[in-house]
């Protein structure tokens, strides 16, 4: 169904001039209403009015005053105003009109083509401003939901900026310690440590998270109104586009009591991440589309960039919460089976990796029949995790090789890379959610998402009734082998 034509209110006390302007606009496809006085204009204009073409000199009041009232009224403040005058034609007149709120100023007589082009440009501006306004409202709503959800969380949650300044602490932080509570937003970690020396190990962990960009975990004993309490904490740093840590979210768990509260917390965080991520993705894509369309004013560009920046920041926070929840749940990941081709999934992952790593060689060999009853989206995660892992931990000049083979009862996927092998003592713990073993040299400088990625990979494969194994030696390199029954 086509959109209705924009509504334009043409205001001019000169009948001949008003007729000519209305005729030009009508032929251009606009709905045109007419008014001859300022008071009539204020009566006719409403929420549906897209543009008011307003003569500066009217018999009952100045067009400048009419413009001011239109912009001040909640009913008409979003209507665009184009001053069109044959008498107030000086630079000072034009400047005064714009200062009173007009969006554009033309001197009559004006060429019909120029008038129509100017009207189209202003209406594009109005549509863009509306879209930006809607997107901004959505960002604020999502931010409110995130703040509300974090504030209502059962366990302590604190958020620090890149300098270690506390910017958020939920109610559970204060409730866990009562009158001993010192976590007040606006205080630095040094100030908190001076007020409560028991926070020393916690403060050191925060500093390590900020400095290294690595997840930090530990335990601390703190005083409370109910005596000493023992807390287990996780600090998850979030890096910005430059790689510098911009925020650290700290989540705590009282391991003295209430151990059973863990399941509720993890389910809650999982729902939080899922429900907020989808609208945020749509929000980011819409803002990016606005940027690609071009023809935006500096003001619109600022609004659009602000939306993208806020959405990116929220996405990083949600990703930290969601990763933490998935690592702890341990109930397996759901799969939705349908007929699909594993080879197509693998080819897509290879093409994506080649595009994102143009200087790396990614080789693929397929044999047999790759069709089966699997969850294609989940298999994309498996292949993506393994290929990303192989690229990350192999020399830049070495190839990453994938082979997919369709056997009679199953399909087999192998991902191979050269480079430093995985230490033998790490192999039994490689697919654990949070490995207890010490980190190897292979993992230095890599985000803690590695353990989570392999954990999720195994959970997906298991949900398909399959298995995933790894072999790693100095001479043969590292190979992950996934076996998937056809279902």
């Amino acid at each position: 169904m086509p959109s209705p034509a924009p509504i334009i209110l043409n205001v001019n006390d000169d009948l001949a001039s008003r007729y000519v302007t209305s005729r030009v606009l009508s032929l251009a496809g606009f709905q045109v209403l007419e008014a001859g006085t300022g008071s009539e204009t204020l009566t006719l204009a409403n929420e549906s009015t897209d543009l008011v073409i307003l003569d500066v000199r009217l018999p009952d009041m100045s067009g400048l005053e009419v413009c001011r009232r239109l912009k001040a009224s909640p009913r008409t403040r979003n209507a665009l105003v184009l001053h069109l005058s044959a008498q107030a034609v000086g630079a000072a007149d034009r400047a005064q009109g714009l200062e009173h709120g007009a969006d554009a100023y033309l001197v009559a007589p004006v060429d019909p083509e120029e008038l129509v082009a100017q009207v189209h440009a202003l209406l594009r501006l109005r549509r863009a401003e509306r879209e930006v306004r809607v997107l901004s409202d959505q960002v604020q709503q999502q931010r409110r939901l995130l703040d509300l959800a974090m504030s209502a969380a059962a366990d302590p949650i604190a958020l620090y900026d890149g300098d270690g300044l506390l910017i958020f602490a939920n109610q559970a932080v204060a409730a866990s310690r009562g009158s001993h509570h010192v976590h007040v937003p606006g205080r630095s970690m040094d100030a908190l440590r001076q007020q409560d020396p028991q926070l020393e190990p916690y403060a050191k962990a925060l500093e390590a998270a900020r400095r290294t960009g690595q997840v930090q975990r530990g335990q601390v004993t703190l005083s409370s109104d109910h005596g000493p309490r023992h807390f287990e904490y996780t600090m998850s740093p979030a890096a910005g586009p430059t790689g510098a840590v911009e925020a650290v979210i700290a989540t705590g768990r009282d391991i003295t009591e209430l151990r059973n509260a863990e399941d509720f917390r993890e389910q809650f965080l999982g729902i939080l991440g899922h429900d907020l991520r989808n609208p945020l993705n749509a929000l980011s894509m819409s803002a990016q589309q606005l940027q690609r369309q071009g023809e935006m004013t500096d003001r619109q560009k600022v609004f659009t960039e602000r939306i993208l920046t806020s959405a990116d920041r929220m996405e990083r926070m949600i990703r930290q919460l969601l990763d933490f929840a998935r690592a702890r749940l341990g109930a397996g990941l759901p799969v939705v089976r349908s007929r699909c081709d594993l080879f197509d999934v693998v080819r897509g992952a290879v093409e994506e990796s080649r595009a994102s790593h143009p200087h790396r060689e990614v080789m693929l060999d397929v044999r047999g029949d790759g069709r089966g009853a699997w969850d294609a989206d989940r298999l994309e995660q498996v292949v993506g995790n393994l290929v990303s892992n192989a690229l990350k931990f192999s020399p830049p000049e070495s190839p990453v090789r994938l082979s997919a083979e369709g056997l009679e009862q199953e399909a087999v996927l192998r991902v191979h890379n050269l480079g430093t092998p995985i230490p033998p003592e790490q192999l039994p713990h490689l697919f654990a959610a949070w490995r207890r073993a010490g980190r190897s040299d292979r993992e230095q400088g890599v985000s803690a998402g590695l353990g989570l990625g392999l954990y999720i990979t195994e959970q997906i494969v298991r949900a398909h009734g399959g298995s995933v194994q790894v072999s790693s030696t100095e001479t043969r390199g590292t190979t992950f082998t996934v076996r998937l029954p056809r279902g």
Side-chain angles (χ1 to χ4, degrees), residues 400-476:
V400 170
R401 302 177 186 273
L402 285 80
S403 67
E405 182 179 8
L407 304 177
E408 182 176 353
Q409 300 296 327
E410 65 179 4
V412 182
L413 169 68
R414 295 181 175 87
V415 181
H416 172 268
N417 66 273
L418 298 173
T420 305
I422 303 172
E425 66 273 12
Q426 293 288 331
L427 292 176
H429 311 286
L430 200 61
F431 298 99
W434 294 117
R435 300 197 296 277
R436 296 292 183 182
R439 295 186 178 276
S440 66
D441 292 339
R442 167 188 178 83
E443 295 172 305
Q444 295 300 318
V446 181
S447 72
L450 171 63
L452 178 60
L454 293 178
Y455 168 72
I456 293 175
T457 294
E458 186 184 46
Q459 294 298 311
I460 293 174
V461 174
R462 282 187 176 182
H464 282 87
S467 64
V468 56
Q469 298 174 327
V470 59
S471 63
S472 187
T473 66
E474 185 72 38
T475 56
R476 297 185 179 181

Side-chain angles (χ1 to χ4, degrees), residues 183-403:
H183 266 68
V184 176
R187 293 179 179 174
S188 67
M189 195 64 239
D190 288 338
L192 297 175
R193 181 164 36 191
Q194 290 176 3
Q195 289 182 306
D196 188 353
Q198 292 178 321
L199 287 171
E200 184 65 28
Y202 180 90
K204 289 182 177 179
L206 176 62
E207 176 58 32
R210 293 168 49 213
R211 184 181 67 256
T212 66
Q214 301 294 311
V215 172
Q216 303 294 318
R217 299 183 182 87
Q219 297 181 10
V220 63
T221 301
L222 302 173
S223 299
S224 75
D225 291 343
H226 305 287
R229 310 295 291 182
H230 305 282
F231 295 91
E232 183 178 78
Y233 58 82
T234 301
M235 293 185 177
S236 304
T242 64
V245 173
E246 294 185 358
V248 178
I249 185 167
T251 55
R253 186 167 67 105
D254 188 337
I255 56 176
T256 307
E257 300 175 87
L258 304 177
R259 291 183 181 270
N260 293 334
E262 180 178 356
D263 290 341
F264 167 80
R265 175 168 57 99
E266 307 306 342
Q267 294 284 357
F268 177 80
L269 291 178
I271 294 172
L272 170 66
H274 178 271
D275 289 349
L276 289 181
R277 173 169 283 172
N278 288 342
L280 271 180
N281 287 340
L283 192 65
S284 297
M285 291 175 63
S286 298
Q288 291 169 2
Q289 182 65 26
L290 277 177
Q291 285 187 330
R292 287 193 290 269
Q293 287 178 351
E295 297 185 345
M296 291 194 298
T297 65
D298 291 340
R299 179 185 178 192
Q300 295 166 4
K301 291 177 181 178
V302 169
F303 284 157
T304 305
E305 190 62 33
R306 189 175 301 164
I307 290 171
L308 289 172
T309 300
S310 298
D312 288 343
R313 185 180 302 111
M314 291 171 66
E315 170 62 19
R316 289 195 296 271
M317 294 172 65
I318 291 171
R319 186 167 58 249
Q320 294 291 337
L321 291 169
L322 187 57
D323 287 349
F324 180 75
R326 284 177 174 172
R328 293 283 188 174
L329 283 174
L333 297 176
V335 297
V336 180
R337 294 176 180 267
S338 62
R339 300 298 299 177
C340 65
D341 194 325
L342 174 64
F343 294 173
D344 290 340
V345 173
V346 176
R347 290 189 186 101
V350 169
E351 291 175 2
E352 183 175 335
S353 64
R354 287 170 176 169
S356 58
H357 298 79
H359 302 297
R360 295 299 303 271
E361 183 179 14
V362 182
M363 306 174 66
L364 172 62
D365 176 48
V366 297
R367 288 175 291 175
D369 184 1
R371 292 172 294 181
W374 301 304
D375 187 327
D377 292 335
R378 290 296 191 184
L379 292 186
E380 285 181 4
Q381 288 182 262
V382 170
V383 180
N385 285 342
L386 295 179
V387 173
S388 175
N389 207 48
L391 289 168
K392 188 182 300 181
F393 295 112
S394 59
E397 68 277 6
S398 68
V400 170
R401 302 177 186 273
L402 285 80
S403 67

Side-chain angles (χ1 to χ4, degrees), residues 17-58:
S17 298
R18 191 169 72 206
Y19 171 79
V20 171
T21 301
S22 296
R23 180 65 175 168
V24 169
L25 295 174
S26 297
L27 291 175
F30 299 109
Q31 297 183 58
V32 182
L33 303 177
E34 295 185 350
T37 65
S39 58
E40 190 178 359
T41 301
L42 297 174
T43 300
L44 290 176
N46 56 34
E47 297 86 347
S48 301
T49 305
D50 294 288
L51 173 66
V52 179
I53 297 181
L54 184 60
D55 190 8
V56 175
R57 296 182 179 176
L58 297 172

